[in-house]
Amino acid sequence: MRPLILPQVVVFDLGKVLVNFDYAIAARRIAAQGRLSPKEVQSVIDHSPLLFRFETGEINNEQFFHEVCGATGFGGNFEEFRGIFADIFTPIAAMVELHAQLRARRFPTFILSNTNGIAIGHIRRSFSFFANFDGYVFSYEQGAMKPDPKIYGIIERMAGVAGHKILFLDDRSENVAAGLARGWQVIHHRNPDETIGLLAGTGALGGRS
Protein backbone atom coordinates (compact mmCIF):
# COMPACT_ATOMS: atom_id res chain seq x y z
CA MET A 1 0.00 0.00 0.00
CA ARG A 2 1.29 3.46 -0.92
CA PRO A 3 2.20 5.90 1.87
CA LEU A 4 -0.60 8.29 2.76
CA ILE A 5 -0.43 11.83 1.41
CA LEU A 6 -2.44 14.94 2.22
CA PRO A 7 -6.05 14.32 1.10
CA GLN A 8 -8.64 16.83 -0.04
CA VAL A 9 -11.61 15.05 1.57
CA VAL A 10 -11.92 12.69 4.53
CA VAL A 11 -14.70 10.07 4.61
CA PHE A 12 -15.61 8.43 7.91
CA ASP A 13 -17.42 5.20 8.61
CA LEU A 14 -19.77 5.66 11.57
CA GLY A 15 -20.10 2.49 13.67
CA LYS A 16 -16.93 1.46 15.50
CA VAL A 17 -15.13 4.54 14.11
CA LEU A 18 -17.03 7.55 15.49
CA VAL A 19 -19.48 5.71 17.74
CA ASN A 20 -19.35 2.36 19.47
CA PHE A 21 -22.46 0.19 19.58
CA ASP A 22 -23.54 -3.05 21.21
CA TYR A 23 -26.63 -4.93 20.01
CA ALA A 24 -26.47 -7.06 23.14
CA ILE A 25 -27.88 -4.08 25.07
CA ALA A 26 -30.98 -3.99 22.89
CA ALA A 27 -31.26 -7.78 22.84
CA ARG A 28 -31.49 -7.98 26.63
CA ARG A 29 -34.23 -5.36 26.77
CA ILE A 30 -36.22 -6.90 23.91
CA ALA A 31 -35.90 -10.36 25.46
CA ALA A 32 -37.33 -9.06 28.74
CA GLN A 33 -40.64 -8.50 26.92
CA GLY A 34 -40.59 -11.51 24.61
CA ARG A 35 -40.25 -15.26 24.36
CA LEU A 36 -36.60 -15.61 23.30
CA SER A 37 -33.34 -15.44 25.23
CA PRO A 38 -31.09 -12.40 24.80
CA LYS A 39 -28.70 -14.50 22.72
CA GLU A 40 -31.52 -15.62 20.44
CA VAL A 41 -32.80 -12.06 20.08
CA GLN A 42 -29.33 -10.85 19.17
CA SER A 43 -29.19 -13.41 16.36
CA VAL A 44 -32.37 -11.83 14.97
CA ILE A 45 -31.19 -8.20 15.06
CA ASP A 46 -27.39 -8.29 14.63
CA HIS A 47 -25.72 -9.19 11.30
CA SER A 48 -28.86 -11.05 10.28
CA PRO A 49 -30.80 -11.28 6.99
CA LEU A 50 -33.51 -9.16 8.63
CA LEU A 51 -31.02 -6.42 9.53
CA PHE A 52 -29.60 -6.54 5.99
CA ARG A 53 -33.08 -5.94 4.56
CA PHE A 54 -33.55 -3.04 6.98
CA GLU A 55 -30.19 -1.46 6.27
CA THR A 56 -30.62 -1.67 2.49
CA GLY A 57 -34.02 0.03 2.66
CA GLU A 58 -36.03 -3.02 1.63
CA ILE A 59 -38.19 -2.53 4.74
CA ASN A 60 -38.87 0.65 6.72
CA ASN A 61 -38.74 1.32 10.47
CA GLU A 62 -42.26 0.12 11.20
CA GLN A 63 -41.92 -3.00 9.04
CA PHE A 64 -38.69 -3.88 10.82
CA PHE A 65 -40.43 -3.44 14.16
CA HIS A 66 -43.29 -5.76 13.15
CA GLU A 67 -40.88 -8.42 11.90
CA VAL A 68 -38.83 -8.29 15.10
CA CYS A 69 -42.05 -8.60 17.12
CA GLY A 70 -43.08 -11.62 15.08
CA ALA A 71 -39.70 -13.29 15.51
CA THR A 72 -39.17 -12.54 19.20
CA GLY A 73 -42.62 -12.02 20.73
CA PHE A 74 -41.69 -8.50 21.87
CA GLY A 75 -44.77 -7.01 23.51
CA GLY A 76 -43.99 -3.29 23.55
CA ASN A 77 -45.16 -0.63 21.11
CA PHE A 78 -43.17 0.94 18.29
CA GLU A 79 -42.02 3.99 20.25
CA GLU A 80 -40.71 1.79 23.05
CA PHE A 81 -38.98 -0.51 20.58
CA ARG A 82 -37.39 2.42 18.75
CA GLY A 83 -35.87 3.68 21.98
CA ILE A 84 -34.59 0.25 22.93
CA PHE A 85 -33.15 -0.54 19.51
CA ALA A 86 -31.43 2.83 19.15
CA ASP A 87 -30.01 3.40 22.62
CA ILE A 88 -26.91 1.29 22.06
CA PHE A 89 -24.43 3.95 20.91
CA THR A 90 -21.63 5.83 22.68
CA PRO A 91 -19.34 8.38 21.01
CA ILE A 92 -15.65 7.56 20.65
CA ALA A 93 -14.26 10.76 22.13
CA ALA A 94 -10.82 10.68 20.49
CA MET A 95 -12.32 10.18 17.04
CA VAL A 96 -14.93 12.88 17.54
CA GLU A 97 -12.09 15.24 18.51
CA LEU A 98 -10.11 14.15 15.43
CA HIS A 99 -13.06 15.10 13.27
CA ALA A 100 -13.31 18.47 15.04
CA GLN A 101 -9.64 19.12 14.28
CA LEU A 102 -10.18 18.37 10.60
CA ARG A 103 -13.17 20.72 10.48
CA ALA A 104 -11.12 23.44 12.17
CA ARG A 105 -8.60 23.06 9.34
CA ARG A 106 -11.45 23.33 6.81
CA PHE A 107 -11.32 19.79 5.46
CA PRO A 108 -14.56 18.63 3.86
CA THR A 109 -15.76 15.52 5.72
CA PHE A 110 -18.42 12.95 4.91
CA ILE A 111 -20.11 9.94 6.52
CA LEU A 112 -20.39 6.63 4.60
CA SER A 113 -22.28 4.12 6.72
CA ASN A 114 -24.16 0.85 6.57
CA THR A 115 -27.01 1.79 8.88
CA ASN A 116 -30.75 2.26 9.34
CA GLY A 117 -33.28 4.99 9.97
CA ILE A 118 -33.83 4.22 13.65
CA ALA A 119 -30.12 4.44 14.42
CA ILE A 120 -29.57 7.63 12.44
CA GLY A 121 -32.58 9.33 14.02
CA HIS A 122 -31.21 8.60 17.48
CA ILE A 123 -27.65 9.67 16.62
CA ARG A 124 -28.87 12.95 15.10
CA ARG A 125 -30.88 13.73 18.25
CA SER A 126 -28.24 12.63 20.74
CA PHE A 127 -24.80 13.63 19.44
CA SER A 128 -24.18 17.20 18.35
CA PHE A 129 -20.95 16.39 16.47
CA PHE A 130 -22.99 14.48 13.89
CA ALA A 131 -24.34 17.70 12.38
CA ASN A 132 -20.85 18.89 11.39
CA PHE A 133 -20.28 16.93 8.17
CA ASP A 134 -20.57 18.13 4.59
CA GLY A 135 -22.62 15.14 3.50
CA TYR A 136 -23.97 11.73 4.48
CA VAL A 137 -24.40 8.52 2.50
CA PHE A 138 -26.46 5.89 4.32
CA SER A 139 -27.07 2.37 3.02
CA TYR A 140 -30.76 2.36 3.88
CA GLU A 141 -31.34 5.46 1.75
CA GLN A 142 -29.27 4.23 -1.21
CA GLY A 143 -30.37 0.58 -1.43
CA ALA A 144 -26.77 -0.62 -1.25
CA MET A 145 -24.29 -1.48 1.48
CA LYS A 146 -20.52 -1.28 1.60
CA PRO A 147 -18.56 -2.84 -0.03
CA ASP A 148 -20.93 -2.43 -3.02
CA PRO A 149 -19.11 -0.08 -5.46
CA LYS A 150 -22.37 1.82 -6.04
CA ILE A 151 -22.28 3.47 -2.64
CA TYR A 152 -18.65 4.55 -3.04
CA GLY A 153 -19.53 6.22 -6.31
CA ILE A 154 -22.24 8.23 -4.57
CA ILE A 155 -19.65 9.67 -2.17
CA GLU A 156 -17.39 10.62 -5.09
CA ARG A 157 -20.19 12.48 -6.82
CA MET A 158 -21.25 14.18 -3.61
CA ALA A 159 -17.70 15.24 -2.73
CA GLY A 160 -16.76 16.18 -6.29
CA VAL A 161 -13.45 14.34 -6.08
CA ALA A 162 -12.20 10.78 -6.54
CA GLY A 163 -9.09 8.62 -6.30
CA HIS A 164 -6.27 9.58 -3.96
CA LYS A 165 -7.95 12.90 -3.10
CA ILE A 166 -10.24 10.92 -0.79
CA LEU A 167 -9.04 9.42 2.50
CA PHE A 168 -11.43 6.79 3.89
CA LEU A 169 -11.53 5.46 7.49
CA ASP A 170 -13.39 2.19 8.14
CA ASP A 171 -13.05 -0.66 10.63
CA ARG A 172 -13.92 -3.50 8.24
CA SER A 173 -11.25 -4.85 5.92
CA GLU A 174 -13.65 -5.58 3.03
CA ASN A 175 -14.92 -1.99 3.08
CA VAL A 176 -11.38 -0.59 3.12
CA ALA A 177 -10.43 -2.88 0.23
CA ALA A 178 -13.33 -1.57 -1.85
CA GLY A 179 -12.13 2.00 -1.30
CA LEU A 180 -8.57 1.06 -2.18
CA ALA A 181 -9.82 -0.55 -5.41
CA ARG A 182 -11.19 2.87 -6.45
CA GLY A 183 -7.82 4.50 -5.86
CA TRP A 184 -8.84 6.05 -2.55
CA GLN A 185 -6.37 6.42 0.27
CA VAL A 186 -7.53 4.25 3.17
CA ILE A 187 -6.98 3.67 6.86
CA HIS A 188 -8.15 0.35 8.28
CA HIS A 189 -9.30 1.69 11.65
CA ARG A 190 -8.32 -0.49 14.60
CA ASN A 191 -7.91 2.04 17.39
CA PRO A 192 -7.91 5.83 17.69
CA ASP A 193 -4.21 6.22 18.47
CA GLU A 194 -3.14 4.37 15.33
CA THR A 195 -5.64 6.17 13.10
CA ILE A 196 -4.79 9.60 14.48
CA GLY A 197 -1.08 8.91 14.01
CA LEU A 198 -1.55 7.85 10.40
CA LEU A 199 -3.71 10.86 9.60
CA ALA A 200 -1.26 13.21 11.32
CA GLY A 201 1.46 11.81 9.10
CA THR A 202 -0.29 13.24 6.04
CA GLY A 203 -0.05 16.77 7.42
CA ALA A 204 -3.83 17.02 7.74
CA LEU A 205 -3.61 17.90 11.44
CA GLY A 206 -1.10 20.70 11.09
CA GLY A 207 2.26 19.17 10.29
CA ARG A 208 3.90 15.87 9.66
CA SER A 209 4.86 13.75 12.64
Side-chain angles (χ1 to χ4, degrees):
M1 190 180 300
R2 294 179 179 177
L4 298 178
I5 61 173
L6 186 68
Q8 291 187 15
V9 166
V10 181
V11 177
F12 287 80
D13 179 28
L14 181 57
K16 303 298 184 181
V17 175
L18 289 163
V19 295
N20 275 322
F21 63 90
D22 184 359
Y23 278 113
I25 297 169
R28 289 192 295 270
R29 296 176 67 190
I30 293 169
Q33 297 191 52
R35 62 174 179 269
L36 301 183
S37 70
K39 184 177 180 180
E40 290 170 325
V41 171
Q42 190 165 354
S43 73
V44 172
I45 64 173
D46 184 6
H47 292 99
S48 68
L50 177 58
L51 186 66
F52 178 85
R53 291 169 58 212
F54 188 31
E55 295 199 334
T56 53
E58 182 180 334
I59 56 175
N60 63 26
N61 294 352
E62 290 78 9
Q63 290 168 325
F64 179 70
F65 162 66
H66 288 301
E67 294 214 23
V68 171
C69 288
T72 67
F74 177 73
N77 61 32
F78 173 70
E79 292 303 321
E80 186 177 6
F81 172 79
R82 183 170 65 176
I84 289 171
F85 186 75
D87 193 16
I88 63 172
F89 297 96
T90 54
I92 302 172
M95 295 300 292
V96 172
E97 174 58 25
L98 170 64
H99 176 251
Q101 291 180 44
L102 290 170
R103 297 300 290 176
R105 293 183 60 78
R106 301 186 182 279
F107 278 92
T109 59
F110 295 82
I111 293 281
L112 175 58
S113 178
N114 292 344
T115 189
N116 60 78
I118 292 177
I120 292 303
H122 173 80
I123 290 168
R124 284 195 192 279
R125 291 188 298 270
S126 302
F127 307 132
S128 60
F129 80 87
F130 194 67
N132 297 323
F133 290 82
D134 291 279
Y136 307 81
V137 176
F138 302 133
S139 61
Y140 77 98
E141 293 181 336
Q142 303 299 335
M145 296 180 76
K146 296 175 294 183
D148 186 332
K150 172 187 172 181
I151 204 166
Y152 294 75
I154 293 168
I155 278 283
E156 291 173 349
R157 292 190 293 275
M158 183 180 289
V161 297
H164 68 275
K165 296 177 182 179
I166 296 175
L167 176 59
F168 176 45
L169 286 61
D170 197 290
D171 68 306
R172 298 187 66 88
S173 59
E174 65 271 24
N175 297 341
V176 167
L180 192 63
R182 300 184 75 87
W184 294 9
Q185 300 188 77
V186 299
I187 293 176
H188 185 188
H189 176 76
R190 298 176 180 86
N191 62 76
D193 287 345
E194 180 182 38
T195 293
I196 292 166
L198 289 169
L199 191 51
T202 70
L205 301 182
R208 295 182 180 275
S209 59

